[in-house]
Amino acid sequence: MIIFKGNLTKHFSASEYAVGCGDANVYLTEDAYIFAQALEETRSAVGLKFYVNSWYRTTKLNKAVGGSKTSQHMTGQAADITAGSPAQNKILFDLIQKMDLPFDQLIDEKQLRWVHVSYSPKPRKQILYL
C-alpha cells in the first residue's frame, strides 16, 4: 500500500476515495488504483458527470454503514456513485450495462438513490437490485 494525496485520475481525487474515513492519509492498494482508472474510463465512456458518495471504507466504517462483510469497498474496488437524481442515475445505470463496461457488480441501490459499481480482475458482470 502507498499513501496517496491529490488526484487519482483526471476527475477523481484522493479525498473522494477516502470520503468518510476520517484519515488524512489515503492508503491505496494496486487494485484500488486499477479501479480508479476503470472509474475514470467509465465516466469518459458514458459521457455523464457523476460523483462518488462512498468509495474506500475501513472495516470500522463499513460495519458502521451496514456494509457486507465481504464488501469490495474495503479493498477500494467499489464505489457508490450518483449523477444527481434517480432519473439521472437510471441513465447512468443503463449506460454502464449498454456499453458493456467491465464491471464486476452493478447495483441499483434503493430505487436508484445511487448506483454501486465494482471492478475485479475477473468481472462477474452481476446486475442486482437492492
Side-chain angles (χ1 to χ4, degrees), residues 35-127:
F35 175 68
Q37 299 306 311
L39 199 59
E40 180 69 32
E41 289 171 21
T42 299
R43 184 166 179 193
S44 296
V46 299
L48 186 64
K49 196 174 193 177
F50 60 82
Y51 304 93
V52 174
N53 292 332
S54 178
W55 191 337
Y56 172 74
R57 294 181 191 156
T58 61
T59 304
K60 182 179 176 180
L61 177 60
N62 191 63
K63 185 176 182 179
V65 300
S68 162
K69 290 180 182 181
T70 60
S71 174
Q72 287 173 287
H73 283 280
M74 294 185 297
T75 61
Q77 291 179 292
D80 295 333
I81 58 177
T82 183
S85 71
Q88 289 293 98
N89 290 343
K90 171 77 169 129
I91 293 168
L92 178 61
F93 188 81
D94 291 346
L95 282 171
I96 291 171
Q97 291 176 70
K98 183 178 179 180
M99 299 181 85
D100 199 32
L101 296 170
F103 62 86
D104 186 47
Q105 288 186 318
L106 183 65
I107 305 174
D108 164 354
E109 297 262 8
K110 302 185 186 290
Q111 299 178 325
L112 293 164
R113 283 180 41 206
W114 66 86
V115 175
H116 170 98
V117 63
S118 67
Y119 291 81
S120 76
K122 295 182 181 181
R124 295 174 285 177
K125 299 286 235 172
Q126 274 187 327
I127 299 170

